[in-house]
Amino acid sequence: MFKYFIILVLPLLLLSAEKTATIKIEGMTCPLCTTAVKKSLKKVDGVIKAKVRLNTKTAIVQYKGKVKEDTLLEAIKRTGYKGTVISVK
């Protein structure tokens, strides 16, 4: 029975696990910049929460495991800024 749990259920649990990425963002200079980046990140399917801070020029993004970090960077790029993933937990 346990063997079937590992084969059938464990992969689903791993896919739905939440992660948090910290992303350094270059070029933001005002509160409107942070708003644009935050809106773009929240449009990514699977993103639960996004906090963008102007003073540290970072975004902290909470998302489900199926989202790739490259997808988050693309969302930032669409707003005209460059992002670099610092950490993923």
Side-chain angles (χ1 to χ4, degrees), residues 25 34 38 41-42 49-53 58-62:
I25 303 171
T34 60
K38 182 177 178 178
L41 286 167
K42 289 179 97 178
K49 187 188 299 185
K51 291 183 183 179
V52 182
R53 298 188 175 132
T58 58
I60 299 171
V61 186
Q62 187 178 3

Side-chain angles (χ1 to χ4, degrees), residues 44-61:
V44 174
D45 188 35
V47 169
I48 300 164
K49 187 188 299 185
K51 291 183 183 179
V52 182
R53 298 188 175 132
L54 182 59
N55 61 340
T56 59
K57 296 189 179 2
T58 58
I60 299 171
V61 186

